[in-house]
Amino acid sequence: VLITEMPSKRENKGGYLTIRGEEHICDKIIDMLSHAKERAYVSIYNERLESFRVYLEKMTAQGKKVVIITNEPFELTGATVYLTECRKEQIRLITDSNDVLTGEITNQYEATCLYSSNNNLVEVFKDALANEIELLKMKGNN
């Protein structure tokens, strides 16, 4: 009886969520990488990127596309890596062209990121990353 009265699951309409704190942000990154079905575009400083290596390796082992933009060489079989000057605090992540996470980890407690599955925001970030990748290709930084 209860099941028939229970409301159905709401469809995600693409809201925005502010995530505060380094631990929570890292948890969200892991969640996004773990649930990505096809691809991930990651722009993270090399030092921080290393902490997500196991999740990125799992993605490439499963044949999923992984594109990384970082500041120093990062060896990951099956991934495409582009090198550029990037701010140490900045994080950008897009998974499956559905979800985006962007923000900064300045320190453990003041870190703030915006997460969204809003199609308009995802498209803006996809375009920005695509343009950045094209510029890096022209410069030969991969």
Side-chain angles (χ1 to χ4, degrees):
V1 171
L2 242 142
I3 302 243
T4 58
E5 299 296 320
M6 190 166 69
S8 59
K9 185 177 177 183
R10 282 192 216 149
E11 184 181 327
N12 184 344
K13 299 265 194 224
Y16 300 88
L17 180 67
T18 300
I19 302 172
R20 297 188 192 285
E22 181 177 10
E23 183 180 350
H24 296 128
I25 292 168
C26 290
D27 286 347
K28 187 61 180 173
I29 292 169
I30 290 168
D31 180 65
M32 289 174 70
L33 293 174
S34 298
H35 289 94
K37 291 176 176 60
E38 296 175 24
R39 67 185 71 85
Y41 293 85
V42 185
S43 178
I44 297 180
Y45 199 72
N46 189 288
E47 190 178 301
R48 185 165 301 281
L49 184 61
E50 196 59 51
S51 61
F52 304 110
R53 177 179 286 280
V54 67
Y55 304 98
L56 295 166
E57 285 174 344
K58 187 173 182 182
M59 286 186 71
T60 57
Q62 294 171 344
K64 297 173 185 173
K65 182 177 182 176
V66 175
V67 177
I68 298 168
I69 299 172
T70 190
N71 61 308
E72 292 176 4
F74 186 81
E75 295 297 321
L76 181 65
T77 304
T80 303
V81 179
Y82 297 97
L83 301 180
T84 189
E85 298 284 323
C86 56
R87 295 197 348 252
K88 190 173 186 175
E89 313 83 25
Q90 190 174 45
I91 291 172
R92 292 181 291 164
L93 171 61
I94 300 172
T95 54
D96 293 334
S97 300
N98 292 325
D99 302 284
V100 64
L101 179 78
T102 182
E104 294 185 344
I105 297 181
T106 49
N107 67 45
Q108 187 175 357
Y109 303 104
E110 293 179 19
T112 305
C113 278
L114 176 71
Y115 165 81
S116 182
S117 56
N118 178 283
N119 192 50
N120 291 330
L121 186 66
V122 172
E123 287 300 318
V124 166
F125 273 88
K126 274 176 47 182
D127 289 346
L129 277 179
N131 289 337
E132 184 175 349
I133 289 168
E134 282 305 311
L135 287 172
L136 292 171
K137 282 180 182 178
M138 286 192 281
K139 290 180 182 178
N141 290 355
N142 61 336

